Amino acid sequence: MKGHTMKIVVIGGSGLIGSKLVANLDERGHEAVPAGPDTGVNTLTGEGLAEVLGGADVVVDVSNSPSFADEDVMEFFTTSTGNLLAAEKDAGVGHHVAVSIVGADRLPESGYLRAKVAQEQLIEKGPISYTIVRSTQFFEFVGRIADEATDGDEVRLSTGLMQPIAADDLAALVADVAVDEPVNGVVEVAGPERVAMDELIRRGLRARDDEREVIADPDARYFGTKLENDELTPVGDARIGETRFEDWLAAHAPAGH
Ligand SMILES: NC(=O)c1ccc[n+]([C@@H]2O[C@H](COP(=O)([O-])OP(=O)(O)OC[C@H]3O[C@@H](n4cnc5c(N)ncnc54)[C@H](OP(=O)(O)O)[C@@H]3O)[C@@H](O)[C@H]2O)c1
C-alpha cells in the first residue's frame, strides 16, 4: 500500500490525537479527512457516514465519549463502533484502525476500560481487516488524572507504574500503522520512561506551579480501578515514542517560565 496517496478518514479528527494525526498524514501526502459532529458525521446516529466513507482506503477511529460515566462510555464505544464497521463494509474500506489503551483487558474494574475492551472485541470479530493500537496515557492527560483524584488541596494517587507518551508521538505512530497493512491484531505503543503515577503527576503539577499536594496511596483508585503494579504498561514489545516527559514539560510550560 505504501507509495500511493490514500484516502484516510479520521473519526474524531478534531480531537487531541485526531487533529495531530490529520496533520501528520497530510504532511506525508495522503488525503486525510477529519470526520466528527462538526463536519456532519455522527457515529452514534450514523449520520454522514456513508458520504464520508465513499472511496476511503482506511478509517482511523480516535473518537472519544463526551461522558466518562460507565454506561455512557459503554454505549458510546459499542454503538459507534458497530455503526462504523457496518458503514465501512458497505463502502469497501480495507483497514480499520482504532486507538485503545494498554492494559485495558487487565483492569476490568474500570468502566471506561471495560468499554474499550468491548470496542476491541467488536473490531476483532467484525468484518473489516484491522489494527488496534493500544497506547499508554498521553502526557496531555496528566491534568485530568490530577483533577479526577483531587479532594480540596490534596491529590491522592496510586503508586502503580505508568509509561506515558506525548500525543505528537502517538499520532506519528498511529499514522505509521494507518498507511501500513492491517495486522489483524494489537500493536502496543508507549513512552520512553516508566514512572509511578504519583511521581508523574507530582512532576507535572510542580512544573506548572500547581500547589496541590500529591499523596502516594497504593489503594487509591485510577478511574475506578486499583492498580497492583504495572498493569498500565506494555508487557511485550512496544513501539516507543521518544519524547521525555521533562522535555515535553519544558516545551509546554506556561508563559513566564
Ligand atoms: N487519554 C489517554 O491518555 C488515552 C490513552 C490511550 C488511548 N486513549 C484513546 O484515544 C482516543 C482519542 O482520545 P482523545 O483524547 O484524542 O479524544 P478527544 O480529544 O476527546 O476527541 C474526541 C473526538 O471524538 C469526536 N466525537 C465525539 N462524539 C462523536 C460522535 N458521536 N461521532 C463522531 N465523532 C465524535 C469529538 O468531536 P467533537 O469535539 O466535535 O465532539 C472529537 O473529535 C480515545 O479513543 C481514547 O480512549 C486515550
Side-chain angles (χ1 to χ4, degrees):
M1 275 209 218
K2 280 180 181 161
H4 74 92
T5 300
M6 292 193 262
K7 175 178 173 180
I8 302 171
V9 175
V10 179
I11 306 290
S14 65
L16 174 63
I17 300 303
S19 53
K20 293 176 183 296
L21 177 62
V22 168
N24 189 301
L25 289 167
D26 275 343
E27 272 172 33
R28 299 184 193 204
H30 293 289
E31 183 193 354
V33 181
D38 58 339
T39 65
V41 178
N42 189 331
T43 50
L44 285 177
T45 61
E47 180 197 348
L49 274 180
E51 294 79 0
V52 77
L53 295 184
D57 301 289
V58 180
V59 170
V60 185
D61 182 9
V62 281
S63 64
N64 205 357
S65 174
S67 156
F68 280 18
D70 284 5
E71 306 85 65
D72 294 343
V73 72
M74 181 62 82
E75 171 67 17
F76 181 86
F77 282 115
T78 53
T79 303
S80 64
T81 300
N83 287 337
L84 202 44
L85 293 172
E88 288 173 30
K89 184 163 190 274
D90 291 343
V93 171
H95 188 185
H96 179 91
V97 179
V99 174
S100 187
I101 302 182
V102 168
D105 54 338
R106 298 198 290 266
L107 294 165
E109 282 181 40
S110 158
Y112 189 90
L113 296 181
R114 284 198 302 276
K116 295 300 288 186
V117 170
Q119 177 189 18
E120 290 187 2
Q121 288 171 344
L122 286 170
I123 295 165
E124 283 161 2
K125 66 176 201 278
I128 311 295
S129 295
Y130 67 92
T131 307
I132 292 167
V133 180
R134 281 192 182 165
S135 172
T136 55
Q137 288 63 47
F138 321 147
F139 293 162
E140 285 79 353
F141 197 54
V142 158
R144 180 140 189 192
I145 296 174
D147 293 348
E148 194 79 18
T150 295
D151 184 7
D153 288 334
E154 288 182 358
V155 192
R156 192 168 286 275
L157 285 163
S158 167
T159 50
L161 285 175
M162 301 179 75
Q163 198 174 329
I165 184 169
D168 275 325
D169 289 348
L170 173 60
L173 291 164
V174 173
D176 291 344
V177 165
V179 301
D180 209 340
E181 299 292 335
V183 305
N184 293 312
V186 173
V187 170
E188 293 203 325
V189 303
E193 300 169 293
R194 285 178 151 210
V195 55
M197 183 178 293
D198 65 298
E199 181 56 23
L200 177 80
I201 306 302
R202 195 175 289 115
R203 286 193 216 160
L205 293 183
R206 200 183 294 138
R208 279 156 179 67
D209 295 335
D210 187 319
E211 293 189 344
R212 283 177 282 176
E213 185 190 359
V214 175
I215 297 168
D217 177 355
D219 292 325
R221 299 207 155 228
Y222 173 69
F223 290 97
T225 190
K226 187 167 177 271
L227 302 176
E228 294 302 333
N229 183 23
D230 58 0
E231 297 96 323
L232 290 175
T233 64
V235 176
D237 286 343
R239 300 188 193 179
I240 301 297
E242 287 181 355
T243 308
R244 293 162 55 93
F245 188 54
E246 300 304 326
D247 297 332
W248 181 87
L249 281 173
H252 290 79
H257 278 243

